[in-house]
Amino acid sequence: MSGFDKLNNFWEELKKRNVVRAFIFYVVSAWLIIQFVATVFPYLDLPKWATTAVIVTLLAGAPVVLIVSWIYELTTDGLKKTDSVDKEKSISVNTGKQLNRLTISILSLAVVFLLVDKFYLSVEDSSETERTEAIAVFPFSIQGGLDIQYLKDGMVDLISGKLDAMPGLNATDPNIILGVANSKGLDNRNPVAAAKAAADLGANRVILGSITQVGELLEVKISKYDQAGQPVGNAIIEDGTETELMGRVDNIIRRLVADELREQGSEFNSEAILTTNNLESIVPFLQGIQLSRQGKHQEALIQFRESLEADSTFALGYYRYIVNAGWIRDVNAGSRSTKEYIPYFDRLEALSKNLKGKNGEVVRARLAYLNSDISSERQFRELLDKYGESIEILNGLAESIYHHREIVAGDRRDAKPYFERLIELDPTKDEYFEHLINIAESEEDLEAFEDYVSYLDPESDQRYGLEFSRVMMQDSITDQNIAELHEVMRPDFAFNPKRKIEVLDGFKIAKRVRKIDDKFIGLDTWLNLLEPSVTGQHKDFIEKQLADFEQHGSLSPAFAGNFIQLSFEAIPLWNQYAQSLIPKIELTKTKASEAMYGIPQLELDYLLGLAYLYNDNLEEAENQLGVLKSHFSDETVTPFGKARDQARLLYFNLSGFIDYTEGDIEEAKIKFDSAVTKVKRVTLDYATFLAKPRNFHLAEIKIKEEAFEDALDIYLNTLESEAFTILFSGFTWGYNVYRIAQMYDKLDRKDEAIAYYKRFLEAYVDPDEMYMPWVDDAYGRLSVLVERPEEELRGQIN
């Protein structure tokens, strides 16, 4: 028999015994398993070595399948050796058919999986921003006695395990590494060969190390290499006794992680890793950073808190906690601030004093920003000149400009080029796009808005409410738009536009959404307060509040907040109510002092000073200045900062108002400037809230100086600022819009003047009698500008 015949007979025997079919079935099944593992394991955050282990196991199983299918045959009585099976009782033909059907079924599953993978699982997610480095740790070179030889392989397990716990890093399975190193006899001194072996296992970094025993001391040296076997960074050297080895390894891990972060361009976080005293704080710290980058600030806060529980001296960990908390309003300025913000802020402030170098300067500049200290912008500009561009410095500068412009009635769009530069450097952080989205709204640039929105993480907190913003930017709003908003908005959504000039439009949309059904029944209270607030129907609200005073014996915070915002003589409410409010404010202060013993009632002292001022009792108003001044050294912590700084801010405001009323404009300007430059520890909301009436005065000073362009800028930017709630700003909204129309009118900018007069009159259709002089003037000027009879206009707008 020829060799060809023997080969042909062997092939026929393989087919007869279903060896070929069994092998094909195994290959197809193994391929599907590998595809599934390669796709799903990353979603489960499993290390790369887990995938490698599955692949190696399946490869090892292939020859086993060949051998078993050759030796054994499946019968009705189970597996038996092929040679012992009676040919007449053999069911190998049926088995072959079953294998064919199973193979076809597996192939069908493979097709389905590939389609799912292509259209669902493999959609590129811009939120996956962290590189996943695969690092292979090879056996160490040991120079010392037999008693430390266990460290040769032991260090591989120890370092791999600790690296594997770090988000963004994966260590190749140490068992596989040890197997490869031993089988190939790799020389620890040959990084090129180690790098090649590591690359075959999917690793792009190699760690080679040595331990040298000198007396009782062990010197540990670590070197890192890239895929080509070239050194990456400097060698890491630690020494100590054998009992101190774990601590030394922790230091090595800390430095390795810091190096990786620095290579990724995250210099600040790299330095942060090196400042913690506890390795256990690093993992939640890095997880918090990842979550924060994706806009998942609530989840990130939990991770940062866990990091700080592991190391209460981790200054830069506190910094990250506070920066992240700045995106959760309820934490940084709401009901959770007393427990979840202020203690962490105070701790960061204390620890920051000992931070050295660039990071120390960045942290202290950031604290200035968070304390509403407008010098933070100058500080960050100086850091930019001193150290050049970095994410932390540019971010601090952009945030300072964006948020502090509200305090000085500036244009926060000045921050736009810095946020645009930030997304060039790091196009993955949702917070930058959040600000740019708001700026695009203010510029009514729908194209830019949609572009920035497309970069947001699909699960980002920043995505909520964008549907409403998108509708607000449309030229017309259909019933379909309203129905869609009804479906996607939460029942507690306030429909409060980013652009405050559109508050009335947002209110109208809210009413249309509310009409659909009772899903938004909770809006009723909000709408019932907002409508009179922005339409000039304030008298009923105030009378109701005064009636409540008779029942409860104190004024509500909402009432006090509105009158603080209204502290400007051109707004007539104070003139009507100042005299009757004085005894009510005094009683409210007494009751509040009893209820909150030890907490100074600074806002009520300030409110009382305003009441005296607008009741033409300057002597008593100045006495209230003395009361406020007595708290200049008060270190009491309040929800809005330190009592000493609150007192200063209120003092400079009230003192400036008194000077303005007395006609001392220059002194008033000095006091208003002091309110901005000499207050160092109040929350941003509080600073913005108290800035509005001060900026009204500054705008009027500009008008007296005939600097109408400057006055217009102040009124435009003051309109768009908001603190605490639009209800407080709502009481001044109409006056603000009316004043903007007048400034455009003064500057002969006819189209803008017409638009703002119309917007004001659309809101003040049926205002309180005290506002009718504004309404009459607006109709008169509009009649001239559009060259139509005033009576015709009144009928059309009404």
Side-chain angles (χ1 to χ4, degrees):
M1 184 180 292
S2 67
F4 178 80
D5 290 336
K6 289 180 179 180
L7 184 62
N8 189 52
N9 289 341
F10 178 67
W11 177 251
E12 289 299 322
E13 187 65 22
L14 286 174
K15 290 195 293 182
K16 179 182 175 183
R17 298 190 181 202
N18 289 317
V19 174
V20 175
R21 290 187 177 91
F23 186 70
I24 292 173
F25 171 73
Y26 182 82
V27 169
V28 172
S29 301
W31 178 84
L32 181 60
I33 292 170
I34 290 170
Q35 295 303 310
F36 176 81
V37 166
T39 304
V40 174
F41 275 24
Y43 284 86
L44 301 176
D45 289 329
L46 295 176
K48 281 192 173 181
W49 63 258
T51 304
T52 305
V54 171
I55 294 172
V56 170
T57 302
L58 290 170
L59 289 174
V64 175
V65 169
L66 287 172
I67 293 170
V68 170
S69 59
W70 173 265
I71 296 176
Y72 293 97
E73 181 178 330
L74 183 65
T75 70
T76 53
D77 298 322
L79 278 178
K80 289 186 177 182
K81 283 191 174 183
T82 304
D83 295 340
S84 65
V85 177
D86 189 334
K87 292 183 179 180
E88 293 182 359
K89 294 182 179 181
S90 174
I91 59 169
S92 61
V93 174
N94 291 334
T95 303
K97 291 179 180 179
Q98 288 179 1
L99 284 171
N100 288 341
R101 286 194 289 270
L102 285 171
T103 302
I104 292 170
S105 299
I106 294 294
L107 285 172
S108 300
L109 282 175
V111 171
V112 172
F113 179 80
L114 285 173
L115 290 172
V116 171
D117 179 41
K118 178 176 178 62
F119 294 105
Y120 295 97
L121 298 178
S122 297
V123 175
E124 193 170 311
D125 187 354
S126 62
S127 70
E128 293 297 323
T129 63
E130 305 294 332
R131 290 193 305 169
T132 301
E133 299 291 357
I135 300 177
V137 183
F138 280 82
F140 274 44
S141 168
I142 306 297
Q143 299 174 30
L146 291 174
D147 58 330
I148 65 166
Q149 292 300 315
Y150 73 94
L151 293 173
K152 177 183 179 180
D153 293 350
M155 291 293 283
V156 178
D157 276 308
L158 185 59
I159 294 177
S160 296
K162 288 181 178 291
L163 285 176
D164 224 16
M166 298 295 158
L169 295 176
N170 279 316
T172 305
D173 183 354
N175 296 313
I176 294 175
I177 288 291
L178 290 171
V180 169
N182 293 329
S183 65
K184 295 187 176 182
L186 289 176
D187 186 346
N188 186 274
R189 294 165 296 182
N190 188 346
V192 175
K196 185 178 183 304
D200 291 341
L201 298 173
N204 52 10
R205 292 283 195 278
V206 170
I207 288 178
L208 301 180
S210 65
I211 296 179
T212 303
Q213 189 174 36
V214 182
E216 293 184 356
L217 290 180
L218 299 178
E219 181 188 84
V220 183
K221 182 178 180 180
I222 296 283
S223 297
K224 188 165 64 171
Y225 300 89
D226 62 17
Q227 288 174 301
Q230 297 301 307
V232 178
N234 298 320
I236 299 172
I237 299 175
E238 292 280 339
D239 58 47
T241 64
E242 190 173 353
T243 57
E244 296 171 338
L245 185 63
M246 285 301 295
R248 301 300 177 231
V249 171
D250 284 355
N251 289 342
I252 289 168
I253 298 300
R254 188 180 293 110
R255 291 169 68 178
L256 285 171
V257 174
D259 286 347
E260 289 295 329
L261 289 171
R262 187 176 291 108
E263 288 175 35
Q264 294 174 23
S266 185
E267 184 179 347
F268 186 91
N269 292 331
S270 171
E271 292 296 323
I273 294 297
L274 296 176
T275 64
T276 178
N277 294 320
N278 188 343
L279 194 66
E280 292 181 7
S281 70
I282 294 178
V283 174
F285 176 78
L286 294 177
Q287 290 172 337
I289 289 171
Q290 288 182 338
L291 290 166
S292 181
R293 289 173 69 84
Q294 296 166 15
K296 300 174 184 177
H297 299 294
Q298 295 281 5
E299 298 171 50
L301 202 69
I302 295 170
Q303 295 301 321
F304 287 130
R305 190 180 297 122
E306 184 180 332
S307 175
L308 297 175
E309 287 171 358
D311 183 1
S312 62
T313 66
F314 189 10
L316 298 183
Y318 280 97
Y319 171 86
R320 278 281 172 248
Y321 178 96
I322 289 297
V323 170
N324 181 77
W327 288 92
I328 310 173
R329 191 178 185 86
D330 196 36
V331 172
N332 67 72
S335 59
R336 295 164 60 186
S337 65
T338 304
K339 291 184 178 180
E340 297 184 51
Y341 188 80
I342 294 173
Y344 291 87
F345 190 97
D346 290 342
R347 181 63 173 158
L348 175 59
E349 219 168 26
L351 292 171
S352 70
K353 296 172 183 176
N354 297 319
L355 284 175
K356 307 297 182 185
K358 175 182 173 181
N359 282 346
E361 293 179 65
V362 169
V363 169
R364 286 186 286 275
R366 188 79 182 200
L367 285 169
Y369 153 70
L370 294 169
N371 278 326
S372 306
D373 180 354
I374 66 166
S375 72
S376 66
E377 180 181 337
R378 172 184 54 77
Q379 293 179 48
F380 279 115
R381 289 190 187 280
E382 290 173 353
L383 290 173
L384 190 60
D385 292 338
K386 183 177 180 179
Y387 295 109
E389 282 189 344
S390 78
I391 295 293
E392 292 303 320
I393 292 173
L394 282 171
N395 185 33
L397 177 57
E399 295 279 5
S400 293
I401 295 171
Y402 186 84
H403 290 292
H404 287 178
R405 286 292 189 269
E406 290 188 307
I407 297 174
V408 296
D411 190 345
R412 60 184 182 179
R413 290 177 298 180
D414 293 342
K416 182 178 180 179
Y418 299 101
F419 283 121
E420 288 178 333
R421 178 57 180 153
L422 280 165
I423 63 173
E424 289 176 8
L425 297 172
D426 180 9
T428 62
K429 194 151 188 182
D430 281 0
E431 288 88 342
Y432 308 151
F433 291 101
E434 164 80 355
H435 289 310
L436 287 168
I437 287 167
N438 289 342
I439 290 172
E441 285 185 70
S442 68
E443 294 175 337
E444 298 184 86
D445 187 343
L446 184 57
E447 183 178 350
F449 173 89
E450 297 289 9
D451 183 46
Y452 294 138
V453 168
S454 69
Y455 286 94
L456 289 179
D457 185 283
E459 297 180 9
S460 171
D461 297 342
Q462 273 72 49
R463 276 193 171 273
Y464 185 68
L466 291 179
E467 294 86 354
F468 173 63
S469 297
R470 188 178 286 111
V471 167
M472 289 297 300
M473 297 178 72
Q474 296 175 185
D475 293 332
S476 60
I477 300 168
T478 66
D479 289 340
Q480 179 64 29
N481 295 145
I482 298 298
E484 289 171 357
L485 285 177
H486 178 273
E487 290 301 313
V488 299
M489 295 291 98
R490 290 194 294 256
D492 61 348
F493 188 71
F495 295 91
N496 186 6
K498 292 290 194 307
R499 298 187 68 223
K500 296 302 169 281
I501 186 61
E502 296 177 328
V503 165
L504 191 64
D505 297 331
F507 167 71
K508 292 176 180 176
I509 289 174
K511 290 185 75 172
R512 289 174 67 182
V513 171
R514 169 67 183 94
K515 277 184 69 176
I516 294 177
D517 58 33
D518 284 343
K519 174 183 175 181
F520 288 90
I521 193 171
L523 277 180
D524 289 351
T525 301
W526 162 252
L527 296 177
N528 291 337
L529 288 171
L530 182 62
E531 184 170 21
S533 175
V534 298
T535 57
Q537 299 172 345
H538 302 154
K539 186 175 179 180
D540 287 345
F541 172 82
I542 293 169
E543 295 295 340
K544 183 180 182 303
Q545 292 290 313
L546 294 177
D548 287 345
F549 172 85
E550 299 302 328
Q551 182 179 354
H552 302 293
S554 63
L555 298 170
S556 72
F559 182 90
N562 277 308
F563 268 83
I564 286 173
Q565 286 272 286
L566 291 164
S567 50
F568 182 56
E569 64 181 6
I571 300 175
L573 273 171
W574 265 115
N575 293 331
Q576 287 206 17
Y577 293 99
Q579 185 173 0
S580 63
L581 280 176
I582 291 172
K584 293 179 174 60
I585 296 170
E586 289 176 333
L587 285 171
T588 301
K589 180 185 173 183
T590 300
K591 196 165 184 177
S593 297
E594 293 172 354
M596 295 180 283
Y597 181 75
I599 304 297
Q601 302 303 311
L602 299 172
E603 288 75 25
L604 291 173
D605 289 322
Y606 175 72
L607 194 64
L608 192 56
L610 292 172
Y612 283 124
L613 172 63
Y614 295 118
N615 195 41
D616 297 325
N617 191 338
L618 290 176
E619 182 179 353
E620 286 298 330
E622 289 175 349
N623 287 339
Q624 288 306 116
L625 287 178
V627 174
L628 292 170
K629 197 170 184 178
S630 69
H631 291 280
F632 277 14
S633 300
D634 191 340
E635 294 292 326
T636 304
V637 176
T638 74
F640 308 120
K642 289 284 184 72
R644 66 184 188 204
D645 293 296
Q646 281 180 257
R648 282 185 171 84
L649 177 53
L650 296 167
Y651 172 89
F652 289 129
N653 259 25
L654 180 57
S655 183
F657 298 161
I658 292 172
D659 291 333
Y660 179 90
T661 303
E662 292 182 315
D664 193 344
I665 301 301
E666 291 306 313
E667 190 61 30
K669 287 162 71 174
I670 292 171
K671 300 292 175 51
F672 293 152
D673 181 69
S674 295
V676 173
T677 59
K678 294 184 179 181
V679 177
K680 305 297 183 184
R681 177 70 191 273
V682 293
T683 63
L684 181 62
D685 273 343
Y686 193 75
T688 306
F689 173 67
L690 287 162
K692 178 165 285 190
R694 185 173 65 245
N695 288 326
F696 281 163
H697 283 80
L698 287 169
E700 293 303 310
I701 290 173
K702 293 296 182 183
I703 292 172
K704 292 177 187 294
E705 297 169 348
E706 297 190 354
F708 301 119
E709 196 77 55
D710 292 339
L712 174 62
D713 286 341
I714 293 173
Y715 275 123
L716 281 170
N717 294 321
T718 300
L719 176 67
E720 295 306 319
S721 67
E722 179 193 350
F724 298 125
T725 168
I726 189 61
L727 289 178
F728 294 160
S729 301
F731 271 61
T732 62
W733 184 86
Y735 174 78
N736 216 153
V737 175
Y738 169 57
R739 241 7 192 157
I740 291 169
Q742 287 185 313
M743 293 305 102
Y744 278 128
D745 202 355
K746 288 277 188 183
L747 293 165
D748 294 324
R749 293 171 62 173
K750 182 177 176 180
D751 290 342
E752 291 99 329
I754 290 172
Y756 275 85
Y757 277 132
K758 281 185 175 180
R759 183 61 62 95
F760 168 70
L761 291 170
E762 285 170 2
Y764 275 51
V765 172
D766 186 25
D768 295 333
E769 186 63 30
M770 69 184 94
Y771 300 124
M772 285 310 297
W774 301 351
V775 173
D776 292 340
D777 177 67
Y779 272 118
R781 289 304 306 155
L782 187 61
S783 173
V784 172
L785 292 170
V786 300
E787 300 178 354
R788 290 173 60 189
E790 186 176 323
E791 292 74 15
E792 183 181 324
L793 290 174
R794 286 180 182 270
Q796 183 182 42
I797 293 177
N798 289 340

